[in-house]
Amino acid sequence: MRRTFITLSVLILSIAASCKSDRFKETGTGITAVVQSKQVTIEFLTPSIVRVNKHLIEAQPEKESLSVVKSPDKNTKVNINEEGDDVILSTKKLTVKMDLATGKISFFKQDGSILSQEKLNGSTFKSFDDAGKDSYMVKQGFVLAKDEVIYGLGQVQNSSLQQRNRTIELKNSNHDITIPYICSLKGYSIFWDNYASTSYSDNESETSFESIGDCIDYYFMYGGSGEGTIRQMRELSGQAPMFPLWTLGYWQSKERYKTQFEVVDVLKKYRELQVPIDGMIQDWRYWGEDSVWNAMKWDSKRYPDPKQFAKEIHDLDAHLMVVAWPGFGPLTDQYGEFESKNMLINFDTWPPNSGTKPYDVYNPKARDIYWDYLNRGVFSEGVDAWWLDSTEPDHINVKPEDFIQPTHLGSYQSVSNAFSLMHTTGIYEHQRQTTSEKRVFILTRSSFAGQQRNAATSWSGDVVSDWNVLHDQIPAALNLSVCGIPYWNSDIGGFFVWNFPGGKDNLAYRELYVRWLQFGTFCPMMRSHGTDTPREIWQFGEKGDWSYDAIKKFIHLRYRLLPYLYSTSWQVTSEGKTFMKPLAFDFEEDKKVFDLEHEYLFGESFLVCPVTESMYTNYEKKDKKYVNACENFNGVKNSTVYLPNGCSWYDFWTGEKINGGQLIEKNTPIDVMPLYVKAGSIVPWGPDVQFAEEKGWDNLEIRIYPGANGKFTLYEDEFDNYNYEKGKYSTIEFVYDDQKREVIIKKRNGTYNGMLKERVFNIMVVSDSNAQGIENGQNSIAVKYTGNEKVVKL
């Protein structure tokens, strides 16, 4: 009788499996099913990342993602069950349910609580002629909770941190870096894997993405927290490699230095004034006239010896970044070769009326050719880093037919947003193939999902010098950062100084410049650049002048922070973290920070509140110009700062300890920006240097901010090669026990060439009587350390 029961049970299970296979097919990592004339594929890449792909049955699109590098992990265990009309796929992290009658897909945490869901009948395909190819306008709608907090969409300069109740055309431009990606404070994110201009819309009925495409293709990721969503996006689209230490120093640029001698003389003057600097930037036209735009050759009259140029920069302990563009003038060798091989995209790019055309970045052979010229003409001369300008690219004299012309990967309109991604891919991959002794460092005006893997840092474009624009940089940077792009900066002082007659000589502009530079000190890259007026420190006065002294003070502060910055970079690379993040990512229980767009967290310890309003200049804004500035910058003004609830905070400048969860007034004279450190933080304090590698880190101050337990990992390597990828680096973990008032310096892990064998850590407990701001603190405890664990009683 028992054997009969077993046989009957097997028969029932076989019938159930047969019924299941009639409605969907298991693939090992998910399922495929046909629902309402659409083939739907649900595929788990990891237990936390799932891909949803939909296309019409009659179409069989083949798509290889430009952004996604993660392959499905075959070891991911996916449990699949059928309940009525629902098929339910579960992993240890995430549950996905699809209604086999309607096709609606919902996403749940393992405790059964809903994360997000598609809108019923929210998947639409509308026929579209894509440059003669039968395609579609594809749209997917989602239903979000009414009070759900959403960030993302890239660098959209709309003054907003949250992206609810907005309609935005996601199209890369000079000022906008658009990424079809949103993340929720519920701990999940959605990446719409499409490279065409995309319409994003959020309203009471739905949140949707709509683009040209052969299929609906998106990734749903569950990270469990705000920062967890960044980690998932990096796993999906690629990790960010380490930059050299020197890239975290100060950079000087302008539009433009006109000879190699001018660049070297600027650097020499910085050294004479003893103002720290690590990078000089050569902007455009070093090649000559616009007809040979971007020739990747040096004008022999103004740059007679490029190798000597780079050598003089290096002999002054700095590095050289040189601009390169994606377009070529009609008289360049590159233009001729690309044209003969049908590798130009036929529209006008910068500069106007020059006949300059961009190359087909989507073609790998074209990227090979581009690097060959760049390497022979520029990189081989000793250049250290790249400024890849106009990577949207600029599009001048726009005509409808420009968008329907073919590229290597399809019509230009279908892949336009990925231009920068493909262009930087070519530079990164080719330089890595050329040498491992010099890390790739790219500054680029545009970006797209996955570009962090190309060692690229983005900047916010040719923004106008204005207080409102300065304010808008903060939420723009934060929303780009949450999309997985960790490195960002802006032109300190703004690019165009139209609103300030007299430029650097206008006291109103000097105030704006100083405040912008203070913000730039707490960005991943600190770079002064612009047109209309020069930006070198001596243009703002001399020692003793308020503007000069304030600028020098914050450049010195940047260099004291180098051990903290470099260790944070390692967290970015090894743990999927980020430099700049919204306060809500660490304080999601405090609703007051959800829309707080003018403050942010910098690494794990600092709360930064840039001053984004004029305090000292009594100006008249007449005809959109700032005029009639006063000259008194000695008085003390105030800024309002909100300190999030959930911990205590220390005023960086005074050491005062303040409870969170309150608005405070902070004195902000022209040389002070509101800056706070979270209780429990451990901050390494570097030596006073003129360039990043001037002194070793053999005598670091370790600042302890009591009031909570804390830990920090100090990361060190050879600073500028790829040996760290082979394990050539070291980490030292510091752990602070607040109750015991004890610091444990743990055993050092790892080794690298040139590693310090002996060192001293000067442990200092911060308080209102023992805090010196930028200067070294008092009453520190000197601890000799040779790599073994030490316990320090405070």
Side-chain angles (χ1 to χ4, degrees):
M1 186 69 178
R2 185 172 182 177
R3 182 176 298 175
T4 304
F5 174 77
I6 293 173
T7 304
L8 184 59
S9 298
V10 171
L11 177 61
I12 292 171
L13 288 172
S14 299
I15 294 172
S18 175
C19 293
K20 185 184 296 185
S21 64
D22 288 342
R23 306 189 72 181
F24 61 86
K25 179 181 178 181
E26 296 188 19
T27 62
T29 54
I31 65 163
T32 61
V34 175
V35 183
Q36 293 187 344
S37 75
K38 303 178 189 72
Q39 180 169 316
V40 181
T41 300
I42 300 175
E43 178 183 44
F44 278 90
L45 279 67
T46 73
S48 303
I49 302 175
V50 61
R51 179 189 185 189
V52 176
N53 183 280
K54 305 177 184 182
H55 62 81
L56 297 181
I57 297 173
E58 61 268 22
Q60 294 295 325
E62 294 183 5
K63 179 182 175 183
E64 183 174 346
S65 179
L66 302 181
S67 294
V68 174
V69 296
K70 179 69 177 177
S71 299
D73 184 348
K74 300 300 183 181
N75 294 320
T76 298
K77 184 179 179 181
V78 184
N79 296 312
I80 301 173
N81 295 292
E82 190 174 3
E83 296 180 2
D85 281 336
D86 293 332
V87 57
I88 302 171
L89 301 86
S90 295
T91 68
K92 61 183 180 181
K93 297 287 187 180
L94 186 64
T95 294
V96 180
K97 180 173 70 174
M98 181 172 72
D99 187 322
L100 292 166
T102 66
K104 176 183 173 182
I105 299 175
S106 304
F107 305 89
F108 302 84
K109 292 196 292 186
Q110 281 302 82
D111 64 6
S113 58
I114 191 164
L115 290 166
S116 186
Q117 59 186 320
E118 294 182 349
K119 182 182 179 182
L120 182 63
N121 300 320
S123 307
T124 62
F125 290 74
K126 296 180 182 178
S127 295
F128 182 83
D129 183 351
D130 180 17
K133 172 190 171 186
D134 290 336
S135 189
Y136 305 93
M137 290 297 298
V138 294
K139 179 180 179 181
Q140 180 61 61
F142 301 89
V143 179
L144 307 186
K146 185 177 180 179
D147 60 349
E148 194 165 344
V149 179
I150 292 293
Y151 303 129
L153 302 181
Q155 173 197 283
V156 183
Q157 299 194 43
N158 59 4
S159 303
S160 176
L161 183 58
Q162 274 215 58
Q163 302 294 14
R164 299 303 304 271
N165 302 308
R166 303 192 181 281
T167 298
I168 301 172
E169 187 68 17
L170 299 178
K171 181 179 181 180
N172 280 341
S173 66
N174 187 318
H175 295 164
D176 292 326
I177 297 172
T178 54
I179 298 177
Y181 170 94
I182 56 174
C183 68
S184 168
L185 284 186
K186 294 172 73 173
Y188 74 84
S189 59
I190 297 171
F191 170 50
W192 177 254
D193 193 13
N194 189 291
Y195 324 115
S197 177
T198 296
S199 295
Y200 167 84
S201 179
D202 177 82
N203 52 50
E204 290 185 359
S205 63
E206 67 174 4
T207 301
S208 65
F209 295 96
E210 184 174 24
S211 319
I212 300 168
D214 297 329
C215 59
I216 291 171
D217 196 9
Y218 70 88
Y219 293 81
F220 187 93
M221 294 164 275
Y222 180 60
S225 64
E227 198 158 49
T229 63
I230 296 175
R231 192 174 299 112
Q232 295 297 323
M233 186 57 175
R234 296 267 184 78
E235 184 172 2
L236 181 73
S237 60
Q239 301 298 337
M242 288 289 289
F243 289 146
L245 175 66
W246 50 264
T247 65
L248 297 172
Y250 176 72
W251 288 81
Q252 185 61 62
S253 178
K254 76 171 184 178
E255 193 216 36
R256 60 188 166 88
Y257 298 118
K258 297 182 179 180
T259 71
Q260 70 181 71
F261 313 106
E262 182 184 9
V263 178
V264 173
D265 285 346
V266 168
L267 178 57
K268 285 180 178 178
K269 190 159 185 178
Y270 268 96
R271 293 290 180 239
E272 291 169 4
L273 292 172
Q274 295 188 324
V275 177
I277 188 169
D278 265 271
M280 293 298 301
I281 302 178
Q282 176 60 60
D283 203 348
W284 49 286
R285 275 190 182 154
Y286 60 87
W287 47 75
E289 300 303 316
D290 289 353
S291 59
V292 289
W293 185 267
N294 198 36
M296 298 171 180
K297 295 178 181 178
W298 301 85
D299 179 357
S300 61
K301 293 181 180 179
R302 295 179 297 115
Y303 300 86
D305 193 340
K307 274 191 169 65
Q308 180 64 20
F309 177 26
K311 182 179 183 301
E312 288 187 57
I313 297 291
H314 296 157
D315 287 347
L316 288 164
D317 299 301
H319 296 80
L320 179 62
M321 173 181 281
V322 173
V323 77
W325 293 59
F328 295 95
L331 298 185
T332 59
D333 295 339
Q334 294 94 325
Y335 187 104
E337 182 168 357
F338 283 135
E339 184 180 42
S340 70
K341 296 178 178 178
N342 198 28
M343 292 178 178
L344 288 175
I345 301 178
N346 188 28
F347 63 71
D348 294 332
T349 188
W350 190 268
N353 306 315
S354 65
T356 300
K357 311 285 185 188
Y359 81 110
D360 187 353
V361 299
Y362 308 100
N363 187 330
K365 292 183 178 179
R367 297 197 294 269
D368 292 343
I369 294 169
Y370 187 98
W371 174 256
D372 183 55
Y373 281 103
L374 189 62
N375 184 30
R376 286 187 286 117
V378 184
F379 188 60
S380 63
E381 305 287 7
V383 168
D384 303 295
W386 304 112
W387 181 3
L388 302 183
D389 207 344
S390 186
T391 50
E392 309 82 41
D394 281 305
H395 194 164
I396 300 171
N397 303 320
V398 178
K399 300 181 291 295
E401 57 266 29
D402 294 347
F403 298 95
I404 60 175
Q405 64 180 295
T407 73
H408 185 73
L409 293 180
S411 70
Y412 179 67
Q413 65 188 357
S414 68
V415 292
S416 59
N417 273 349
F419 190 99
S420 183
L421 173 64
M422 304 313 294
H423 184 42
T424 56
T425 294
I427 306 300
Y428 176 74
E429 292 181 348
H430 283 99
Q431 185 175 323
R432 288 298 308 264
Q433 292 166 7
T434 303
T435 179
S436 292
E437 295 306 307
K438 184 180 291 188
R439 294 180 194 168
V440 183
F441 183 57
I442 295 171
L443 174 65
T444 173
R445 197 169 73 186
S446 192
S447 189
F448 195 69
Q451 195 161 306
Q452 71 280 350
R453 65 179 183 257
N454 292 338
T457 181
S458 302
W459 97 92
S460 59
D462 301 337
V463 297
V464 176
S465 303
D466 192 274
W467 289 99
N468 291 330
V469 174
L470 171 57
H471 172 275
D472 291 352
Q473 301 308 292
I474 302 169
L478 295 177
N479 274 315
L480 181 67
S481 183
V482 303
C483 294
I485 310 292
Y487 291 99
W488 178 94
N489 68 113
S490 63
D491 292 343
I492 290 175
F495 184 74
F496 293 111
V497 193
W498 299 325
N499 294 347
F500 294 86
K504 65 182 178 62
D505 297 321
N506 184 332
L507 296 183
Y509 179 68
R510 290 192 179 194
E511 182 190 7
L512 174 69
Y513 184 86
V514 167
R515 294 304 193 186
W516 207 313
L517 183 130
Q518 291 170 355
F519 166 55
T521 304
F522 287 86
C523 290
M525 183 182 187
M526 187 183 186
R527 178 186 59 94
S528 174
H529 177 70
T531 192
D532 303 328
T533 195
R535 315 297 175 93
E536 298 85 9
I537 186 172
W538 54 88
Q539 308 291 351
F540 296 88
E542 58 187 19
K543 184 177 180 181
D545 292 336
W546 62 267
S547 50
Y548 180 97
D549 289 350
I551 292 168
K552 185 174 181 178
K553 175 180 177 177
F554 273 83
I555 294 176
H556 273 284
L557 172 57
R558 176 75 174 196
Y559 278 80
R560 303 304 293 271
L561 286 168
L562 283 177
Y564 176 83
L565 297 171
Y566 201 60
S567 297
T568 300
S569 289
W570 174 243
Q571 291 180 323
V572 169
T573 296
S574 62
E575 300 177 38
K577 293 194 174 185
T578 197
F579 267 96
M580 304 173 73
K581 56 185 173 180
L583 298 182
F585 271 35
D586 281 14
F587 300 95
E588 60 184 59
E589 299 299 322
D590 188 346
K591 293 184 178 181
K592 292 180 180 179
V593 305
F594 290 177
D595 294 311
L596 204 58
E597 79 287 340
H598 66 286
E599 299 179 21
Y600 62 97
L601 298 169
F602 190 67
E604 296 300 302
S605 299
F606 286 94
L607 184 153
V608 185
C609 183
V611 177
T612 59
E613 294 180 350
S614 173
M615 292 184 175
Y616 287 92
T617 54
N618 297 322
Y619 63 84
E620 297 175 8
K621 193 170 183 182
K622 182 179 180 181
D623 299 326
K624 298 184 178 179
K625 309 289 186 185
Y626 292 87
V627 296
N628 297 335
C630 72
E631 296 189 16
N632 180 17
F633 285 80
N634 296 321
V636 176
K637 305 292 183 176
N638 293 325
S639 292
T640 300
V641 183
Y642 180 74
L643 299 177
N645 197 14
C647 71
S648 297
W649 297 90
Y650 284 83
D651 185 318
F652 170 78
W653 305 103
T654 68
E656 178 188 6
K657 185 179 179 182
I658 308 168
N659 292 329
Q662 61 175 320
L663 277 171
I664 63 168
E665 292 293 318
K666 168 62 182 171
N667 290 344
T668 47
I670 193 65
D671 66 340
V672 170
M673 177 182 68
L675 186 62
Y676 294 86
V677 185
K678 185 167 53 177
S681 293
I682 303 173
V683 178
W685 202 242
D688 187 4
V689 294
Q690 293 297 300
F691 56 93
E693 294 185 52
E694 182 185 13
K695 299 176 184 177
W697 293 351
D698 54 349
N699 196 16
L700 292 183
E701 179 174 284
I702 307 298
R703 296 187 174 184
I704 308 296
Y705 292 82
N709 294 336
K711 62 181 179 178
F712 183 87
T713 300
L714 179 69
Y715 172 83
E716 297 166 294
D717 62 16
E718 295 168 38
F719 294 147
D720 191 6
N721 57 44
Y722 286 99
N723 287 342
Y724 76 90
E725 293 182 343
K726 303 173 185 176
K728 298 291 185 179
Y729 64 87
S730 76
T731 58
I732 302 172
E733 186 176 11
F734 296 80
V735 178
Y736 171 64
D737 188 312
D738 192 55
Q739 185 175 2
K740 294 180 179 179
R741 299 281 289 183
E742 181 179 274
V743 175
I744 302 174
I745 309 174
K746 292 198 172 181
K747 183 178 179 180
R748 178 170 53 204
N749 288 319
T751 61
Y752 61 91
N753 294 332
M755 186 178 73
L756 293 168
K757 303 300 183 183
E758 296 183 359
R759 64 200 310 168
V760 172
F761 292 123
N762 298 288
I763 312 296
M764 189 199 81
V765 180
V766 174
S767 68
D768 57 3
S769 61
N770 192 31
Q772 303 297 316
I774 294 175
E775 303 306 320
N776 287 84
Q778 305 298 316
N779 305 318
S780 60
I781 302 172
V783 179
K784 292 184 178 180
Y785 180 79
T786 57
N788 294 316
E789 184 169 300
K790 290 256 186 176
V791 179
V792 184
K793 292 287 185 180
L794 302 178

